[in-house]
């Protein structure tokens, strides 16, 4: 995938500087630079100009380094000793996260004439990759790397103190915060929306955006049979009755109306794919697409959005919440408001809150999910429910960044192509690989390590599923195979099963025995683990092994709310002025979430919180 991010030199000061500072430069920096121009200029001008006064070059130089998903390629335009333009010409970073960070990094690098840009919160790997690519480009331009390695100086030591008065302050610009803001704005309120990252979206941006629509007009028109009662039954069954029923009731009874609003051109006007045959619809452009649209609509409706501005504490007077304090890059804010809606997402990125039993699995959620609202609401003695439940899923690899990555598109293809199966650290099969996720999770938990074993056809299908979903590239596969299990993701190949077993440190002969038993089970038509078997593992190599992990991302516990979306304290009384929406609310799901319902809850509870606040402040 080729993507282009461009930062053009805005400062005439800098241009003046480069004219005087680079006696040898023969080519003026272009005032605007397109990718096509840059390529031409690269061809014409990459020979460094060297004189007695300076060794600096003029032209366009390239640097490349590993980002979160694949390489980040930067092109810098140099005039004398000055970088006059930075373009990121290629990357595959995550939409709304790494992708959103790149222009920020490029601008910082250009404005400060440095490769040592600050890490953009939530996009550490992208920031590291950008810095490394810049260093390579700067070196190839013959510029002084040390001179261009000064850390970005903070523009201010004393931050300005700003007081804002508004009707509603919403904390967190994920799906719940955006829908809460938009519904409150449409109800006539003034809204300030705070986001601690430099981009909106949180976990919502990372999600597939399958959204529950039970009780909606669309579902009725599309002839899907469903009801609030059925949804409630499914949530309770799926969550093994660990759900908090009053929260379930809020969801099942309001999700239809919220979904109608979400897709209504007069409402949130978010694009969803139709028709559906289940109770969920998929947002166009996945979670990232839904977030982008919602953010645009919040801004169009007059919402004041402050990025990189975390809320730090609640303003509490006489037990009532009257606003928040927040801290931006250049200012600290006191925001007085009639109502505060907390929409800070989950707490999966905070090891102090994630129960220890889950911490041995790999985290695959948003970096900003640090449970800030859980900490902030201690000031009002907020009641918390289901904090012991974290959503775990099987079929995951660990990316080089250390983050967990779901592999459903790969695993699905592999099992269809031939007889792939899973083994544990003893080289033995241990579960129905294609059974329910919950059962596979329980079985994987019992083992120290688990590996997916594949033949050539299933390995090709696995990777086709993953590359087709733009999760990684064929070049990544080549690199990882060469790496031979030395670092994540563990993906190894060999001519024989025993070659693979040796690298994975499985007991000699165990994998061959597992394959024979598996193929016999296919012939006999019965599997000891209850998998319905039809395809054998090939008798010929090569074979492959991929280490599979349990990953966790969404958290299922959090604030206790009432039917008006108000936060309750430990005496079960509503805290005046304080509302919550989205994953920060506990209890909807029980011990595992029902597909589509968390994203659906973010949309629904955000809408509900916005409308409740409007009722309250009228
Ligand atoms: C990889 C992944 C896949 C998923 N897939 C699905 C799926 O298919 N179906 C489904 O139903 N659910 C899915 N989920 C879960 C679902 O997406 C989330 O539960 C839901 O989107 C959460 O929305 P939210 O608005 O509550 O939180 P988020 O979207 O996480 O937004 C919270 C925002 O608050 C910000 N914030 C935090 N603290 C502060 C602070 N102090 N000040 C200011 N801002 C702050 C965060 O930076 C973030 O932007 C998935 C989650 C992940 C991570």
């Amino acid at each position: 995938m080729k993507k282009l991010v461009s930062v053009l030199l805005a400062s005439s000061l800098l241009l003046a500087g480069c004219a005087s500072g680079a006696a040898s430069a023969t080519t003026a920096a272009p005032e605007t630079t397109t990718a096509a121009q840059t390529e031409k200029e690269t061809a014409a001008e990459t020979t460094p100009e060297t004189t007695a006064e300076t060794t600096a070059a003029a032209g366009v130089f390239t640097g490349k380094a590993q980002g979160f998903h694949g390489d980040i390629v930067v092109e810098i335009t140099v005039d004398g000793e000055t970088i006059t333009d930075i373009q990121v010409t290629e990357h595959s970073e995550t939409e709304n996260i790494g992708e959103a960070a790149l222009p920020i990094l490029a601008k910082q690098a250009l404005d400060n004439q440095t490769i040592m840009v600050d890490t953009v919160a939530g996009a550490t790997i992208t920031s590291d990759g950008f810095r490394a690519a810049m260093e390579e480009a700067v070196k190839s331009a013959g510029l002084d790397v040390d001179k261009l390695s000064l850390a970005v100086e903070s523009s201010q030591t004393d931050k300005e103190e700003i007081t804002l008065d508004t009707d509603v302050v919403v904390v967190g610009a994920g799906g719940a915060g955006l829908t809460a803001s938009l519904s409150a704005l449409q109800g006539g309120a003034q809204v300030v929306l705070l986001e601690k990252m430099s981009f909106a979206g949180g976990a919502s941006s990372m999600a597939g955006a399958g959204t529950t629509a039970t009780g909606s007009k669309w579902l009725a028109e599309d002839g899907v049979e469903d009801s609030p009662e059925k949804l409630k039954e499914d949530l309770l069954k799926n969550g093994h009755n660990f759900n908090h029923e009053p929260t379930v009731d809020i969801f099942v009874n309001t999700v239809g109306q919220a979904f109608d609003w979400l897709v209504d051109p007069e409402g949130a006007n978010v694009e969803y794919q139709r028709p559906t045959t289940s109770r969920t619809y998929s947002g166009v452009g996945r979670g990232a697409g839904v977030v982008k649209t919602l953010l645009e609509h919040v801004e169009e409706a007059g919402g004041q959005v402050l990025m990189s501005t975390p809320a730090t504490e609640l303003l509490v007077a006489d037990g009532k919440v009257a606003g928040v304090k927040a801290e931006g890059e250049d200012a600290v804010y006191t925001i007085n408001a009639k109502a505060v809606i907390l929409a800070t997402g989950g707490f999966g990125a905070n090891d102090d809150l994630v129960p220890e039993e889950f911490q041995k699995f790999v985290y695959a959620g948003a970096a900003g999910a640090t449970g800030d609202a859980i900490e902030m609401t201690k000031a009002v003695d907020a009641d918390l429910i289901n904090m012991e439940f974290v959503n775990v899923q099987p079929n995951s690899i660990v990316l080089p960044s250390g983050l967990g990555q779901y592999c459903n598109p790969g695993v699905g293809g592999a099992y269809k192509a031939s007889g792939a199966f899973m083994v544990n650290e003893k080289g033995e099969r241990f579960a129905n690989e294609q059974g329910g996720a919950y059962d596979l999770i329980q079985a994987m938990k019992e083992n120290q390590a688990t590996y997916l074993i594949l033949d050539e056809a299933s390995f090709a299908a696995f990777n086709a599923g993953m590359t087709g979903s733009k999760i990684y590239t064929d070049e990544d596969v080549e690199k990882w195979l060469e790496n031979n299990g030395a670092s994540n993701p563990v993906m190894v190949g060999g001519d024989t099963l025993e070659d693979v077993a040796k690298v994975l440190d499985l007991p000699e002969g165990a994998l061959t025995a597992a394959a024979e038993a598996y193929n016999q089970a296919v012939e006999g038509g019965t599997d000891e683990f209850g998998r319905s078997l039809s395809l054998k593992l090939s008798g010929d190599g090569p074979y492959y092994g991929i280490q599979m992990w349990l990953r966790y991302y969404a958290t299922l516990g959090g604030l206790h709310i009432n039917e008006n979306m108000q936060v309750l304290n430990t005496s079960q009384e509503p805290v005046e002025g304080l509302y919550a929406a989205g994953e920060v609310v506990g209890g909807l799901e029980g011990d595992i979430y029902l597909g589509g319902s968390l994203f659906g809850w973010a949309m629904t509870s955000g809408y509900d919180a916005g409308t409740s606040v409007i009722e309250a402040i009228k």
Side-chain angles (χ1 to χ4, degrees):
M1 185 184 349
K2 181 136 172 145
K3 298 181 181 177
L4 188 72
V5 177
S6 171
V7 172
L8 299 170
L9 182 69
S11 159
S12 55
L13 207 88
L14 220 51
L15 270 172
C18 77
S20 63
S24 68
T26 54
T27 312
E31 273 187 24
T32 53
T33 312
T34 64
Q37 282 169 336
T38 307
E39 273 161 29
K40 276 188 225 141
E41 283 155 10
T42 308
E45 302 177 272
T46 44
T47 314
E49 299 267 329
T50 308
T51 70
E53 292 86 30
T54 174
T55 56
V60 179
F61 302 88
T62 303
K64 180 164 94 169
Q66 171 77 35
F68 191 78
H69 295 294
D71 288 329
I72 296 172
V73 180
V74 299
E75 277 182 7
I76 62 170
T77 303
V78 171
D79 188 355
E81 293 182 343
T82 305
I83 301 171
T84 57
D85 180 35
I86 299 172
Q87 297 199 27
V88 179
T89 55
E90 216 174 311
H91 75 87
S92 318
E93 301 306 277
T94 313
E95 205 179 348
N96 273 14
I97 304 178
E99 182 173 55
L102 285 168
I104 297 167
L105 292 162
K107 181 168 187 322
Q108 228 194 91
L110 187 66
D111 288 353
N112 295 281
Q113 294 289 296
T114 184
I115 57 178
M116 289 306 288
V117 287
D118 292 338
T119 295
V120 172
T124 308
I125 310 289
T126 304
S127 306
D128 290 347
F130 177 83
R131 278 190 289 264
M134 279 295 292
E135 184 172 346
E136 194 178 289
V138 159
K139 276 182 183 159
S140 79
L143 292 172
D144 185 337
V145 176
D146 290 341
K147 226 166 141 184
L148 289 165
S149 296
L150 298 178
V152 175
E153 270 182 40
S154 170
S155 54
Q156 269 173 279
T157 41
D158 290 329
K159 292 188 176 182
E160 194 182 347
E161 290 195 16
I162 298 176
T163 300
L164 301 174
D165 295 309
T166 186
D167 293 325
V168 185
V169 58
V170 179
V171 184
L178 289 163
T179 44
S181 300
L182 190 56
S183 63
L185 283 160
Q186 289 178 349
Q190 276 187 326
V191 175
V192 174
L193 171 58
L194 301 174
E195 170 52 51
K196 74 172 173 185
M197 299 297 189
S198 43
F199 41 81
S204 304
S205 264
M206 302 166 80
T211 308
T212 314
T214 302
S216 65
K217 290 180 193 155
W218 277 20
L219 218 57
E221 285 167 16
D222 288 346
V224 177
E225 274 190 36
D226 196 17
S227 67
E229 294 73 26
K230 179 83 180 69
L231 176 59
K232 180 171 178 176
E233 193 185 314
D234 289 349
L235 278 162
L236 295 179
K237 186 168 173 223
N238 187 71
H240 303 90
N241 285 309
F242 289 112
N243 319 57
H244 183 250
E245 253 187 88
T247 311
V248 175
D249 286 335
I250 297 172
F251 181 50
V252 303
N253 293 322
T254 59
V255 54
Q257 195 191 345
F259 190 82
D260 289 345
W261 169 79
L262 192 63
V263 295
D264 186 344
E266 301 297 313
N269 197 14
V270 177
E271 222 184 321
Y272 271 78
Q273 286 161 15
R274 279 187 93 169
T276 184
T277 50
S278 71
R279 63 160 64 104
T280 62
Y281 288 95
S282 294
V284 172
R286 301 167 56 86
V290 173
V291 162
K292 191 164 173 268
T293 306
L294 284 169
L295 180 62
E296 277 167 17
H297 294 177
V298 165
E299 285 171 336
E300 281 161 17
Q304 185 177 358
V305 185
L306 300 176
M307 294 292 176
S308 305
T309 309
T312 51
E313 63 181 278
L314 296 174
L315 299 175
V316 186
D318 301 328
K320 295 178 194 165
V321 171
V324 296
K325 278 202 178 279
E327 183 160 359
E329 281 163 2
D330 303 320
V332 286
Y333 295 88
T334 300
I335 307 173
N336 301 310
K338 294 174 189 155
V340 173
I341 300 176
L342 297 172
T344 54
F347 55 83
N350 184 342
D351 281 354
D352 291 337
L353 293 174
V354 173
E356 210 174 322
E357 62 167 304
F358 298 105
Q359 292 182 23
K360 61 176 186 276
F361 309 144
V362 58
Y363 182 55
T370 46
D372 296 11
I374 308 290
E375 186 57 38
M376 278 192 273
T377 53
K378 283 182 181 162
V380 291
D381 191 28
D383 194 29
L384 299 176
I385 45 180
N386 280 3
M387 290 296 283
E388 66 274 34
F389 297 125
V390 169
N391 198 65
V392 176
Q393 288 290 312
N395 297 333
S396 321
I397 56 169
V398 181
L399 291 172
S401 61
L403 261 196
Q405 171 62 58
Y406 92 122
C407 296
N408 296 9
V411 170
Y415 292 142
K416 274 191 208 143
S418 70
F421 58 83
M422 284 175 82
V423 296
N424 59 16
E425 72 282 358
K426 295 183 199 131
E428 295 166 355
R429 275 186 73 218
F430 59 90
N432 173 358
E433 297 86 345
Q434 292 182 277
Y438 188 79
D439 292 336
L440 185 54
I441 292 163
Q442 305 317 313
M444 284 178 78
K445 275 184 184 172
E446 300 296 312
N447 297 291
Q448 281 165 28
T450 56
Y451 304 97
L452 179 62
I453 304 299
L454 310 110
D455 58 20
E456 195 164 20
S458 49
F459 185 66
F462 183 94
N463 289 320
M466 299 297 277
T467 54
S469 300
K470 299 195 166 43
I471 293 169
Y472 55 68
T473 63
D474 290 331
E475 291 81 57
D476 289 328
V477 176
E478 267 173 49
K479 254 188 274 173
W480 298 342
L481 283 174
E482 266 172 40
N483 205 23
N484 206 26
S487 61
N488 287 314
V490 171
M491 187 181 265
V492 306
D495 291 338
T496 67
L497 282 167
E498 287 309 302
D499 290 342
V500 171
K502 205 165 170 195
V503 188
L504 298 179
D505 206 18
L506 306 179
E508 202 179 329
L511 191 54
T512 307
E516 280 167 11
Y518 175 86
N519 281 347
Q520 274 166 18
V522 177
E523 274 172 24
T526 332
D527 178 38
E528 60 177 313
F529 299 104
R531 178 169 161 192
S532 92
L533 299 174
S534 58
L535 297 168
K536 283 188 181 178
L537 188 79
S538 169
D540 298 319
Y543 297 101
Y544 300 88
I546 303 174
Q547 185 166 16
M548 303 304 280
W549 291 76
L550 289 170
R551 72 184 188 285
Y552 66 97
Y553 45 110
T555 48
L556 308 177
L559 298 170
H560 184 181
I561 55 164
N562 68 10
E563 66 283 3
N564 296 322
M565 313 305 285
Q566 278 177 291
V567 174
L568 301 183
N569 63 22
T570 54
S571 308
Q572 314 303 307
E573 292 157 347
V575 178
E576 210 172 304
L578 189 62
Y579 298 75
E583 204 179 308
V584 72
V585 173
L588 175 71
E589 304 284 356
D591 63 350
I592 185 167
Y593 86 71
L594 182 69
S597 63
L598 267 185
F599 200 86
W601 171 245
M603 300 293 121
T604 303
S605 59
Y607 170 76
D608 289 347
T611 49
S612 287
V613 158
I614 291 299
E615 280 300 308
I617 66 174
K618 248 182 199 170

